[in-house]
Amino acid sequence: RAETSKHCLHNLRKEEMVLVYGDFKDLDTEHLDVFAYTRTLGEEKVLVLLNFSDTETTYPLPEGMNIQQKLKGNYTPEGYSGVLQPWEAAIFRLS
């Protein structure tokens, strides 16, 4: 199973050049449990949210940020409710 996950992430990086070459912007250096950042390449922009905690964590999106599509994540629901599950990792395409 871990190999399958690794393979999927490798494929996503091959398909989404923004994840490889996009400019990195850290969104929140103060939050202790959540690592949130964007990658931007031309008109493409993605959001990466990582909850490094064993508890559910509320994390509101910055104002004006709109999710277009969930590209990958370790939890099944589409979209983003403002809450990250324990150890959740998710990548979203932004509009």
Side-chain angles (χ1 to χ4, degrees):
R1 178 172 163 110
E3 190 62 37
T4 303
S5 249
K6 182 179 172 184
H7 187 274
C8 289
L9 288 175
H10 177 73
N11 285 346
L12 184 63
R13 282 181 51 92
K14 287 172 74 174
E15 295 166 6
E16 300 291 338
M17 291 293 105
V18 65
L19 292 170
V20 178
Y21 300 111
D23 292 330
F24 171 89
K25 181 180 179 190
D26 192 350
L27 297 177
D28 189 345
T29 58
E30 301 297 316
H31 203 292
L32 298 177
D33 295 326
V34 175
F35 184 32
Y37 65 92
T38 58
R39 300 290 302 246
T40 305
L41 182 64
E43 297 296 314
E44 291 183 79
K45 189 170 190 175
V46 295
L47 167 67
V48 179
L49 296 175
L50 307 164
N51 180 9
F52 290 108
S53 167
D54 62 356
T55 59
E56 187 176 274
T57 303
T58 300
Y59 192 82
L61 292 179
E63 192 170 321
M65 190 171 283
N66 297 309
I67 291 175
Q68 178 183 10
Q69 170 189 19
K70 185 173 188 177
L71 296 174
K72 211 49 100 177
N74 60 342
Y75 284 83
T76 55
E78 294 297 316
Y80 181 61
S81 67
V83 176
L84 292 166
Q85 297 302 311
W87 310 113
E88 183 171 2
I91 304 170
F92 302 96
R93 184 179 316 285
L94 299 175
S95 55

